[in-house]
Every structure is written in structure tokens, then in C-alpha cells.
Amino acid sequence: MNKLSKLDDLSLITQVLLLKNTRAFDKLVQKYQSDLRRFFLNHTRGDKMLSDDLAQETFLKAYMYLKTFNRRASFSTWLHSIAYNTLCDWWRSHRDSEQQIDSVKELQTTITNQTNLTTDLYSALDILSDQERTCVTLFYMEDISINDISKITGMPVGTIKSHLSRGRSKLSEFLKQNGYE
């Protein structure tokens, strides 16, 4: 992110905090909503409604806690950290329902039999652990640096590199087994 963009973000944040300017926050939402939706789509295997709900929840939390933004990281990194925590909360709340997860996996298996690259990509991401998927999608799909991923997730840099390495290997093997080179 360039310095001008960071200054724009800080200006908008200041307007929200000092002037209670909700239009300024709307501009932040417009600027980052595509990134957050894509992040959540990658983690929900393409579930657009769930992704939108999680993105909305993230923006609500960001608005409520905007006064805690401390500028040590960029606004984008801070926002992705909230998104990651929102996703982790969702994972925890849905872990108890193993039957639902199994039925979703059965449905995904049926869908995977189609030759749609997007579906295959979501299926490939499904074989990764939650942490591997987070690191892979943030690094390769969101183009976020390893240091910023560390700030977002709270994981050490070495752990992120390990997750990226294992994730790449698993994805490569999965895609080779499914006819991609």
C-alpha cells in the first residue's frame, strides 16, 4: 500500500472518529469490501451469502472498535486481522456440527466432479487446514506480505512460512491428481 493510500485511510478514520462522519466510513467500506469478500469466499468455499455476512460483521466490528486502531499497522492489516478473528469465531461456532460439515463435504465432492476450475480451486483449498488456508489465501490471493499475515493472525513468521510450504505441496498434489499440471 502506498503512502498516499495510507494517508487517505488515516484522513477517513479521523473524520469518522472526530466528526462522526459515517460517509467517511462508507468510503473505507467501499475501498476494502472486495478484498474482504474475496478473503471470506476463499474460506467458505464460495458461499457468497456467508461471505457477505462475515464481511458485514467485520465492518461492524471495525466501526465499533475504530478508536482502538493504533496505526502500528496499516488500516488494511488491522481490518484483515478483524476479519481473521471473525472467521475464527465462525469456525469455532460451527465445529460442533460435524454432520453439517460432512454433508457440505459430500455436496462439495459432487460438485468437484464437474470440470469447473473455480470449484476445483475451492475443493483444493478444502484439503488444507484452517491455518494453511488462511496463510495461502492471504499470501497468494490477497497479496499480503508474510509480516502482515503475522500481524493479522498472530502467528510467528516461521509458522506462516511452514503453513505456506505445506499448503503449496498439498495444493500441488491435489491439482496434479485432478488433471492439472
Side-chain angles (χ1 to χ4, degrees), residues 18-71:
L18 297 180
L19 306 174
K20 307 297 184 216
N21 183 347
T22 56
R23 288 189 180 137
F25 191 76
D26 289 344
K27 289 180 182 179
L28 289 169
V29 171
Q30 290 171 3
K31 182 176 180 179
Y32 292 105
Q33 68 183 347
S34 294
D35 290 345
L36 284 188
R37 284 184 175 146
R38 187 174 50 251
F39 170 77
F40 287 123
L41 275 170
N42 291 327
H43 286 283
T44 62
R45 287 82 166 169
D47 186 330
K48 290 179 183 179
M49 287 180 54
L50 177 58
S51 297
D52 287 347
D53 287 347
L54 292 171
Q56 182 177 7
E57 185 176 340
T58 298
F59 282 116
L60 286 172
K61 288 177 181 178
Y63 185 79
M64 289 176 10
Y65 297 105
L66 192 58
K67 62 183 170 272
T68 67
F69 175 65
N70 59 19
R71 299 180 187 166

Side-chain angles (χ1 to χ4, degrees), residues 57-106:
E57 185 176 340
T58 298
F59 282 116
L60 286 172
K61 288 177 181 178
Y63 185 79
M64 289 176 10
Y65 297 105
L66 192 58
K67 62 183 170 272
T68 67
F69 175 65
N70 59 19
R71 299 180 187 166
R72 284 188 208 138
S74 68
F75 179 75
S76 173
T77 300
W78 182 77
L79 187 62
H80 274 85
S81 178
I82 294 171
Y84 175 72
N85 288 326
T86 300
L87 183 64
C88 289
D89 291 344
W90 184 85
W91 283 334
R92 278 189 290 276
S93 70
H94 288 81
R95 289 274 187 236
D96 298 335
S97 174
E98 290 299 322
Q99 289 178 338
Q100 284 180 338
I101 293 171
D102 289 342
S103 66
V104 168
K105 286 183 180 178
E106 287 174 19

Side-chain angles (χ1 to χ4, degrees), residues 72-74 77 81 146-155 160:
R72 284 188 208 138
S74 68
T77 300
S81 178
I146 290 174
N147 287 333
D148 283 345
I149 294 171
S150 178
K151 291 175 188 173
I152 290 168
T153 62
M155 291 182 221
I160 292 167

